[in-house]
Amino acid sequence: MAATKPNKLGQLLLKRKLLTEEQLLEAVQQQAVTGRFLGSLLLERGWVRPDQLLEVLGEQYRLPVTRLGEDAVERSAVAALPLKVAMHFRVMPLRVRNGTLIVAITNPQDVRLADELRASLQERYQIETVLTTEADIEQALKRHYGVGAETISALVKEPKAEEGPLRLSVGDEAAVEDIEQLATDASVVKLVNQLILEAHRRRATDIHLEPYRGKVRLRYRIDGVLRTVDVPPTIRQLFPAILSRIKVLSNLDIMERRLPQDGRASVKVGEEKLDLRISVLPTPAGESLVVRILPNRMLLELKDLGFRQEDVALLTTLADAPHGLLFVTGPTGSGKTTTLYAMLKTINTEIRKIITIEDPVEYEMEGLTQVQINPQIGLTFAQGLRSMLRHDPDVMMVGEVRDVETAELAIRIALTGHLVFSTLHTNDAATGITRLVDMGVPPYLVVSSVECFIAQRLVRVLCPTCKQEAPAQPGVGRRAFRAVGCDACQQTGYFGRICIYELLRLTEPIKDLIMGKASSDAIWRKAIESGMRTMQQDGWEKVAQGLTTAEEVLRVTQDDEIVRVTGDEDAS
């Protein structure tokens, strides 16, 4: 419990030279007007850091201080303190020891807190308090009680044993009507907002809500990897209302539960606008929901994506050419569109007319004319390309080449004095060439129009706060680092992603092989002989630079037979 304070907070901060007398005077004057806690005012102004304030408060009130990491909270403590109590007092239970419940608090001035907590508990515990930061409390409440737990608790009453899980039949019109009304309820709206906001805060690109028999699983895709998010089990009762709310947002049919549906919506987070792509898929346990979060604006440069300086210069030169065709290849989610937009950004000036046709339009960029395809009304990539030509473009970007008609159109447009960017779904750069030929594009059109193929994958970047040097692994180089995990990276050891890539230019030897309809393996070997670095070699170089780990490189690439054949394992 809080002890008497021997010194005032401001004097302790001055003594430690964490605050100036002018700053303290201004904050005290504001405190006199607002009646707020002095520490909160100092944090708002950025004059002290949370950890500095925490340490001084611990000294002032003679309380132990702690930071709430993954292992700081025991399940027995969470079970001892009901959700409503923890949320109401904004405290976090940590441990139970010999009849004493140890609770983390943020306001040591509340001398009645321990008594009020004790009175709120069903079992009798003595209360012992330790100090922590408000941010730690918020994260711990979400981690151990679940995202949106407070809202779910307010909405849901525990079902009686004989009621069983909530079930809706397809023809249950009354239930559908109730769900539709609940979907506009302020608390359900708040809960959906919390799920989206928390996903954005954690840098998630996708939200997965998956129903199973008697439960619902929530997962966020963060840095390309799915992570399960704790939610209260009672969310199962609210799942139909959550689903209906998201359907309402994206103009989908809330009564249709037998067919897949796709929609889109836009939300605003602070000053940032987010585009949402919603996909609903029927399953035996209910409809499964995936929400893709697309930032409205993309400000990355090529150098920020992981391209070496010499390749940035080359791509900038190719992007500035008056005509030609550049392909970026890779599977879904490998960052192809981001790379294309980074290249477009380098040439987006007033003297160029740039038009894109995509499915969907993922980023908004001022200065570009952006078109989204709609096959239901006949607006395909091929039809869009024909129409775009009548708008006098200098540069065109085609979201994806899916068929021979689109491929030949893009190539012929490049041959008539336009610069064209596009993507293909292939595993490596050399396979992009044979893919075009297999589609039915004549080899002579490929060699006369295409400038280069870039194949890429995304690997997670080591968290700069907690990464540690580790023994080097064979083929990686002399230096290597390992992922550790901290609060900054949500205990994953990684923060953000970067691309590993290979860049294949169509040199004369490569063009000769294409005209001879050589295999992709033969083209790849010739490109290696000409100096191309494979994706895996680029990955090993980034491992040696301390940007990522060998596990990440191996996760997204296959064993590189060419590297072994050429004996180039230690290139990095």
Side-chain angles (χ1 to χ4, degrees):
M1 289 183 288
T4 57
K5 48 182 180 177
N7 294 294
K8 291 185 177 180
L9 174 61
Q11 296 303 317
L12 285 172
L13 290 168
L14 286 176
K15 181 180 176 182
R16 294 191 179 206
K17 297 182 179 180
L18 298 174
L19 202 65
T20 67
E21 291 186 3
E22 292 79 9
Q23 289 173 331
L24 177 59
L25 178 61
E26 185 177 336
V28 169
Q29 289 174 345
Q30 186 177 358
Q31 182 190 29
V33 174
T34 63
R36 295 177 58 195
F37 177 46
L38 179 63
S40 298
L41 296 174
L42 296 174
L43 287 174
E44 278 185 5
R45 292 174 175 266
W47 289 343
V48 295
R49 298 195 311 267
D51 56 324
Q52 293 172 334
L53 180 63
L54 183 64
E55 187 178 345
V56 174
L57 284 172
E59 178 183 344
Q60 179 186 5
Y61 289 91
R62 297 177 183 173
L63 284 175
V65 299
T66 186
R67 300 303 302 270
L68 305 185
E70 286 280 340
D71 302 325
V73 179
E74 296 179 355
R75 287 186 176 273
S76 59
V78 176
L81 192 68
L83 166 65
K84 288 183 179 180
V85 178
M87 291 292 184
H88 176 73
F89 292 107
R90 310 312 289 180
V91 298
M92 187 67 212
L94 302 182
R95 294 176 294 279
V96 176
R97 292 290 184 270
N98 301 322
T100 298
L101 179 62
I102 302 170
V103 179
I105 66 172
T106 61
N107 183 9
Q109 292 181 328
D110 190 349
V111 295
R112 295 178 300 174
L113 178 59
D115 293 332
E116 291 174 345
L117 284 174
R118 190 183 301 109
S120 303
L121 300 178
Q122 295 179 353
E123 297 185 34
R124 290 188 176 181
Y125 288 103
Q126 293 298 316
I127 303 297
E128 184 178 316
T129 57
V130 298
L131 277 177
T132 192
T133 65
E134 291 183 7
D136 278 6
I137 291 282
E138 291 298 323
Q139 289 308 308
L141 287 171
K142 291 175 183 176
R143 186 184 303 131
H144 296 282
Y145 286 103
V147 174
E150 187 176 12
T151 307
I152 293 171
S153 176
L155 280 168
V156 177
K157 295 181 179 179
E158 292 293 336
K160 298 178 181 178
E162 62 269 17
E163 288 179 353
L166 178 65
R167 295 181 184 275
L168 293 178
S169 64
V170 172
D172 194 346
E173 297 297 333
V176 169
E177 211 170 282
D178 291 342
I179 294 298
E180 185 174 8
Q181 293 174 358
L182 190 56
T184 59
D185 182 89
S187 296
V188 173
V189 171
K190 178 182 177 182
L191 176 57
V192 171
N193 290 345
Q194 285 175 334
L195 296 178
I196 296 173
L197 282 170
E198 182 66 12
H200 179 61
R201 189 193 66 79
R202 297 193 187 191
R203 302 177 297 107
T205 55
D206 299 88
I207 303 171
H208 292 246
L209 270 167
E210 304 157 323
Y212 298 95
R213 188 176 297 276
K215 70 174 184 178
V216 170
R217 180 169 67 172
L218 172 65
R219 294 192 289 175
Y220 292 156
R221 187 176 294 279
I222 303 170
D223 293 333
V225 177
L226 281 171
R227 299 192 68 198
T228 299
V229 180
D230 289 328
V231 288
T234 47
I235 196 175
R236 182 66 179 92
Q237 295 173 256
L238 291 173
F239 182 66
I242 294 171
L243 192 62
S244 292
R245 172 59 187 167
I246 295 176
K247 284 183 175 181
V248 168
L249 274 176
S250 51
N251 295 317
L252 298 180
D253 185 355
I254 67 170
M255 296 186 66
E256 179 57 73
R257 296 194 293 273
R258 300 166 299 172
L259 296 173
Q261 295 190 74
D262 295 306
R264 58 186 300 178
S266 294
V267 296
K268 196 172 183 182
V269 178
E271 295 300 318
E272 185 176 5
K273 181 183 174 186
L274 303 177
D275 287 331
L276 308 179
R277 299 290 184 269
I278 291 92
S279 179
V280 182
L281 194 66
T283 74
E287 291 176 283
S288 183
L289 174 75
V290 174
V291 179
R292 169 154 286 190
I293 303 173
L294 299 172
N296 198 246
R297 294 187 178 275
M298 194 280 300
L299 302 173
L300 291 176
E301 308 278 352
L302 280 171
K303 59 182 176 61
D304 300 324
L305 301 180
F307 287 91
R308 293 185 295 275
Q309 187 174 353
E310 59 270 25
D311 289 333
V312 170
L314 172 61
L315 291 174
T316 302
T317 300
L318 293 176
D320 202 37
H323 57 80
L325 180 56
L326 288 80
F327 278 105
V328 181
T329 76
T332 300
S334 59
K336 300 186 297 295
T337 303
T338 304
T339 297
L340 286 179
Y341 267 94
M343 285 193 281
L344 288 177
K345 185 179 180 181
T346 65
I347 58 172
N348 183 20
T349 62
E350 292 184 356
I351 64 172
R352 286 189 177 89
K353 172 79 169 184
I354 303 175
I355 306 179
T356 75
I357 181 164
E358 307 167 66
D359 182 25
V361 175
E362 294 191 19
Y363 302 110
E364 282 187 15
M365 184 179 289
E366 187 175 347
L368 273 60
T369 302
Q370 297 172 285
V371 180
Q372 179 163 319
I373 72 164
N374 189 347
Q376 294 179 346
I377 60 173
L379 180 54
T380 62
F381 280 118
Q383 180 60 43
L385 276 172
R386 293 189 184 94
S387 300
M388 287 158 62
L389 277 174
R390 292 191 285 272
H391 278 252
D392 187 29
D394 298 295
V395 181
M396 301 170 71
M397 195 265 271
V398 186
E400 182 186 346
V401 168
R402 298 176 179 173
D403 51 59
V404 64
E405 183 182 14
T406 306
E408 287 194 340
L409 271 172
I411 288 173
R412 294 187 187 281
I413 289 170
L415 290 174
T416 55
H418 300 84
L419 184 63
V420 183
F421 299 88
S422 192
T423 71
L424 281 169
H425 281 120
T426 62
N427 288 328
D428 53 63
T431 309
I433 296 171
T434 55
R435 173 71 185 279
L436 290 175
V437 175
D438 290 342
M439 279 184 183
V441 178
Y444 75 88
L445 286 180
V446 176
V447 301
S448 58
S449 60
V450 181
E451 297 292 335
C452 74
F453 287 84
I454 306 165
Q456 67 178 56
R457 301 286 189 279
L458 294 177
V459 295
R460 292 182 291 174
V461 176
L462 280 164
C463 175
T465 304
C466 64
K467 69 179 181 181
Q468 292 181 359
E469 195 158 356
Q473 299 186 21
V476 176
R478 294 184 178 180
R479 298 180 71 210
F481 291 81
R482 65 184 182 91
V484 178
C486 65
D487 291 342
C489 60
Q490 302 172 47
Q491 309 302 324
T492 64
Y494 298 94
F495 193 96
R497 289 189 290 175
I498 200 170
C499 78
I500 60 174
Y501 67 98
E502 58 190 30
L503 195 158
L504 192 158
R505 291 208 64 186
L506 268 63
T507 59
E508 289 304 320
I510 297 294
K511 290 180 179 180
D512 291 341
L513 289 175
I514 296 172
M515 292 301 295
K517 294 188 177 181
S519 67
S520 60
D521 285 344
I523 295 172
W524 196 15
R525 289 190 180 92
K526 179 59 70 174
I528 295 285
E529 291 175 12
S530 302
M532 184 188 80
R533 299 172 68 87
T534 67
M535 265 188 291
Q536 203 170 71
Q537 287 173 323
D538 185 51
W540 294 145
E541 182 176 320
K542 288 179 169 63
V543 170
Q545 293 170 353
L547 295 174
T548 189
T549 61
E551 292 79 11
E552 276 296 292
V553 175
L554 294 174
R555 180 176 68 86
V556 300
T557 63
Q558 299 175 346
D559 287 336
D560 193 344
E561 181 181 355
I562 301 301
V563 171
R564 293 197 299 270
V565 169
T566 58
D568 211 10
E569 292 182 352
D570 296 323
S572 62

